[in-house]
Amino acid sequence: MQELSQQIAFILELDKLKAVYRKALIKADNNRYENSAEHSWHISLTAHVLAPYANDAVDISRVTLMLLIHDIVEIDAGDTFAFDHHSVLGEQADKERAAADRIFGLLPLSQREKFISLWHEFELAETPDAQFAKAMDRILPLIQNMQNEGGSWAQNKVLRHQVIKRNHYLESSAPKLWEYVLAQIDIATERGWLRGE
Amino acid sequence: MQELSQQIAFILELDKLKAVYRKALIKADNNRYENSAEHSWHISLTAHVLAPYANDAVDISRVTLMLLIHDIVEIDAGDTFAFDHHSVLGEQADKERAAADRIFGLLPLSQREKFISLWHEFELAETPDAQFAKAMDRILPLIQNMQNEGGSWAQNKVLRHQVIKRNHYLESSAPKLWEYVLAQIDIATERGWLRGE
Ligand SMILES: [Ca+2]
């Protein structure tokens, strides 16, 4: 039962991601902040639904597992806002690597490596699976903000060119979605939800 | 772009599951109620971690997708507490079938059937994949309650025999986990977190 105790400890640790709040707003729940656990659920299903737009052959099961675990490191490292300063985001990367070692390290050896290497693959964003997963992590907040008068963009005075840059993964990984995203960014700019400069 | 509009509408609809609250408590977040979106994330990862205990060969990708979608019907039908009266649970089944038709019906035809039939497979619990998914849906609240002085069991005066009955899927689907669950139920009873009669 040694392995099972380790697995239960990991499962209990996951509960903490439900207490990590992001800048995204949940329109359906009185515009409260979204937590990273429910975000991870939403994005995993988003990937399933949008998989037909992937440009390269992607393994949707791997993409899903990648997205289910992509934010677990925030239990130790916290969430950073996508449009924070570079210095903040640099320190964050170190904290997240240490967090991955600690949290996935709760698992038995037989499972640990698989999760850690999948998390690193997502972070490096070099494989088609990881690039499509990253693309999903970019498009979902856009979809949410467009439904919510700019949502976290408007609240945080985000600039148009920042959103274009951030969604760039879509250009090669899902070109049809990239077209859609550019059109949405134009609408958001016209409506004043994104700032021009 | 007709299909894409339908897919975006479905993705936006999913946001509403973050506003459906269950009886389960999140210890890590001041014992607030858990919502069904974050629960669906937690259980999908739980299935990955506990997959080695499945008695029959299960397709963990199908199990994961099943668990990601298993509670979506609650957007229309609401959550029912596992230990509610049978009459409540009976009406609920009808509401949930209508909800599945409406919500998965937002998707393009090419995707709709896959999701609806996977949801029905989960509900019927006749295949090894669905039985293992159900087993995960039973064991996770137990793991959470054992960490939290009985959690939703203690709050709702749940009886020991109700929990044994509810976890029965584990007996055939993951016998080692069934042993673990029975031992945990004994501990919970000794500590007064579950009532004997
Ligand atoms: Ca994040």
Side-chain angles (χ1 to χ4, degrees):
Chain A
M1 295 303 244
Q2 165 68 8
E3 294 222 330
L4 182 56
S5 310
Q6 293 174 292
Q7 288 151 335
I8 303 273
F10 177 78
I11 290 166
L12 283 170
E13 186 71 19
L14 294 180
D15 228 29
K16 297 180 184 166
L17 197 61
K18 300 169 191 166
V20 175
Y21 288 91
R22 300 155 43 82
K23 291 268 192 282
L25 302 169
I26 310 288
K27 188 179 179 187
D29 200 18
N30 300 314
N31 268 329
R32 68 165 173 85
Y33 288 113
E34 184 181 45
N35 71 62
S36 292
E38 61 198 350
H39 160 70
S40 300
W41 166 76
H42 201 174
I43 203 175
S44 302
L45 270 177
T46 298
H48 267 282
V49 170
L50 298 182
Y53 300 97
N55 200 33
D56 302 300
V58 296
D59 178 341
I60 191 64
S61 308
R62 293 188 81 242
V63 170
T64 303
L65 186 53
M66 228 178 247
L67 288 169
L68 285 171
I69 67 166
H70 81 290
D71 271 344
I72 287 177
V73 294
E74 296 180 0
I75 289 171
D76 287 352
D79 183 52
T80 47
F81 188 46
F83 305 106
D84 270 347
H85 288 293
H86 281 290
S87 57
V88 176
L89 298 175
E91 282 171 36
Q92 187 67 6
D94 293 339
K95 280 195 227 165
E96 289 188 352
R97 274 188 295 271
D101 290 343
R102 184 189 75 75
I103 300 167
F104 297 121
L106 295 170
L107 286 166
L109 266 177
S110 56
Q111 295 184 311
R112 196 177 297 175
E113 276 314 312
K114 177 190 171 186
F115 282 91
I116 291 183
S117 75
L118 205 60
W119 180 79
H120 279 286
E121 181 179 336
F122 175 80
E123 285 300 306
L124 289 173
E126 288 170 350
T127 61
D129 287 353
Q131 286 174 351
F132 187 71
K134 285 272 181 189
M136 296 299 102
D137 200 29
R138 299 327 189 222
I139 198 175
L140 181 54
L142 177 139
I143 293 171
Q144 289 171 301
N145 285 338
M146 289 304 296
Q147 184 67 359
N148 200 10
E149 300 184 341
S152 62
W153 293 336
Q155 259 196 357
N156 296 280
K157 301 180 182 162
V158 171
L159 305 177
R160 171 191 172 83
H161 76 82
Q162 293 179 300
V163 177
I164 292 176
K165 189 175 167 203
R166 186 157 168 80
N167 275 276
H168 217 265
Y169 281 110
L170 287 157
E171 186 172 10
S172 55
S173 153
K176 275 201 183 164
L177 298 179
W178 174 238
E179 275 175 50
Y180 171 81
V181 158
L182 289 178
Q184 296 294 303
I185 289 173
D186 281 346
I187 296 170
T189 310
E190 271 167 39
R191 295 189 184 165
W193 300 342
L194 277 176
R195 300 186 171 209
E197 308 276 309
Chain B
M1 295 302 243
Q2 164 68 9
E3 293 222 332
L4 182 55
S5 312
Q6 294 174 293
Q7 287 151 336
I8 303 272
F10 177 77
I11 289 166
L12 284 170
E13 186 71 19
L14 294 179
D15 229 29
K16 298 181 184 165
L17 197 60
K18 301 168 189 167
V20 175
Y21 289 91
R22 300 156 42 82
K23 292 270 193 281
L25 303 170
I26 310 288
K27 188 181 179 186
D29 201 19
N30 302 315
N31 268 328
R32 68 166 173 84
Y33 288 112
E34 184 181 44
N35 70 61
S36 292
E38 61 199 350
H39 159 71
S40 299
W41 166 77
H42 202 174
I43 202 175
S44 301
L45 271 177
T46 298
H48 268 281
V49 170
L50 298 183
Y53 301 97
N55 201 34
D56 302 301
V58 296
D59 177 340
I60 191 63
S61 308
R62 292 188 82 243
V63 170
T64 303
L65 187 53
M66 226 178 250
L67 288 169
L68 285 171
I69 66 166
H70 81 291
D71 272 344
I72 287 177
V73 293
E74 295 179 0
I75 289 171
D76 288 352
D79 182 51
T80 45
F81 189 46
F83 305 106
D84 270 347
H85 288 293
H86 281 289
S87 56
V88 176
L89 298 175
E91 282 170 36
Q92 187 67 6
D94 293 339
K95 280 195 228 164
E96 290 188 351
R97 274 189 294 271
D101 289 343
R102 183 190 74 77
I103 300 167
F104 297 120
L106 295 171
L107 286 167
L109 265 177
S110 56
Q111 295 184 311
R112 195 176 297 174
E113 276 314 311
K114 177 189 171 186
F115 281 90
I116 292 184
S117 75
L118 205 60
W119 179 79
H120 279 288
E121 181 179 336
F122 175 80
E123 284 300 304
L124 289 173
E126 287 170 353
T127 62
D129 287 352
Q131 287 174 351
F132 187 71
K134 285 271 180 190
M136 296 300 101
D137 200 30
R138 300 327 190 220
I139 196 174
L140 181 54
L142 176 139
I143 293 172
Q144 290 172 300
N145 284 339
M146 289 305 296
Q147 184 67 357
N148 200 10
E149 300 184 341
S152 62
W153 291 336
Q155 259 196 357
N156 296 281
K157 301 178 182 164
V158 171
L159 305 177
R160 170 191 172 85
H161 77 82
Q162 292 179 299
V163 178
I164 293 177
K165 188 175 168 204
R166 187 156 168 81
N167 275 275
H168 217 265
Y169 281 110
L170 288 156
E171 186 171 10
S172 55
S173 151
K176 275 199 183 166
L177 297 179
W178 175 238
E179 275 175 47
Y180 170 81
V181 159
L182 289 179
Q184 295 294 303
I185 290 172
D186 281 346
I187 295 169
T189 310
E190 271 167 38
R191 295 189 183 164
W193 300 342
L194 277 176
R195 305 188 167 206
E197 308 278 310

